[in-house]
Amino acid sequence: QKEVEQNSGPLSVPEGAIASLNCTYSDRGSQSFFWYRQYSGKSPELIMFIYSNGDKEDGRFTAQLNKASQYVSLLIRDSQPSDSATYLCAVNDNRLAFGKGNQVVVIP
Amino acid sequence: DAGVIQSPRHEVTEMGQEVTLRCKPISGHNSLFWYRQTMMRGLELLIYFNNNVPIDDSGMPEDRFSAKMPNASFSTLKIQPSEPRDSAVYFCASSSLGSGANVLTFGAGSRLTVL
């Protein structure tokens, strides 16, 4: 099983709606979890990270972590066209392992 | 700060040629990572260094790949000989150990095309 999995296909959401992205990981010992955003042709940039079970909010973004079920999710509220990008989930076990990403398209 | 600096930004070469990619991490960062990104495999960690010492090179595809970090401000990734399947975007990233989150800052990437 791949370390970090993001299985959903491209996600299209209307402007102003909530985009929801999910990620599962295989290593129960993982301690920290990250969401990166990557615009086409650009490098990944950090959106937020989370350590503890529960929710962490930063502006329009909320990360949710459930260690028992080994998943982490990202919610984007009030989606904007500028949120159109690929979102990469990453898990840190001394080496940062990335999922393949989910493309989000926000339709004006 | 200028961020993580990579060169060249684009490289087109022929199969069998040697390719050298270069990276200057953010000053003060003591961890450096090399990743490769393709559509098929996503972002794969090739190797990472802590305090200039290679820690995990299990992601290096084969002996054709080698990486060095002679000092805290410079690293190279070399492919010799190159093959068409090496075509990808290679990212260098750095972070500061002890930050707790191991947050990576990525360079702009080097897009390699091997013909």
Side-chain angles (χ1 to χ4, degrees):
Chain A
Q1 181 185 359
K2 190 168 168 51
E3 295 175 60
V4 183
E5 300 222 31
Q6 295 179 257
N7 289 326
S8 303
L11 179 65
S12 292
V13 296
E15 185 174 353
I18 296 175
S20 177
L21 303 170
N22 295 312
C23 168
T24 58
Y25 60 94
S26 58
D27 184 355
R28 270 194 185 277
S30 299
Q31 295 296 316
S32 49
F33 308 86
F34 303 78
W35 284 100
Y36 283 77
R37 176 177 62 201
Q38 187 175 24
Y39 292 113
S40 180
K42 302 296 184 182
S43 57
E45 55 182 354
L46 181 73
I47 298 174
M48 61 192 307
F49 60 87
I50 185 168
Y51 291 123
S52 306
N53 274 331
D55 296 0
K56 179 181 179 182
E57 189 174 312
D58 185 357
R60 296 185 295 109
F61 298 94
T62 299
Q64 299 173 319
L65 175 61
N66 184 321
K67 288 188 177 181
S69 300
Q70 294 177 244
Y71 81 79
V72 57
S73 61
L74 180 71
L75 300 177
I76 308 173
R77 291 183 303 282
D78 188 23
S79 296
Q80 301 297 308
S82 59
D83 295 328
S84 297
T86 296
Y87 290 80
L88 302 166
C89 173
V91 175
N92 189 18
D93 55 358
N94 292 321
R95 46 192 295 282
L96 205 58
F98 283 82
K100 290 183 69 174
N102 287 124
Q103 185 182 9
V104 172
V105 178
V106 180
I107 303 167
Chain B
D1 195 327
V4 177
I5 300 173
Q6 291 187 246
S7 65
R9 290 294 311 279
H10 302 275
E11 174 95 6
V12 180
T13 191
E14 293 188 347
M15 182 173 64
Q17 296 299 304
E18 178 179 296
V19 173
T20 299
L21 308 178
R22 298 172 177 81
C23 176
K24 176 179 168 54
I26 290 174
S27 177
H29 280 189
N30 50 10
S31 294
L32 184 141
F33 302 75
W34 283 101
Y35 284 88
R36 175 173 69 176
Q37 187 173 40
T38 60
M39 288 292 292
M40 288 295 295
R41 300 176 67 89
L43 201 59
E44 302 175 281
L45 178 65
L46 300 177
I47 185 171
Y48 79 94
F49 297 83
N50 282 347
N51 296 317
N52 313 339
V53 176
I55 302 300
D56 183 352
D57 65 354
S58 60
M60 296 286 261
E62 47 198 272
D63 291 346
R64 297 185 297 107
F65 286 68
S66 62
K68 293 182 180 180
M69 191 165 186
N71 57 62
S73 59
F74 184 66
S75 177
T76 60
L77 178 68
K78 186 174 293 187
I79 308 172
Q80 167 64 20
S82 57
E83 296 182 3
R85 60 191 167 126
D86 301 331
S87 297
V89 180
Y90 290 81
F91 287 104
C92 175
S94 69
S95 72
S96 179
L97 259 182
S99 66
N102 200 20
V103 173
L104 301 189
T105 301
F106 284 82
S110 295
R111 181 175 294 276
L112 173 64
T113 302
V114 183
L115 304 175

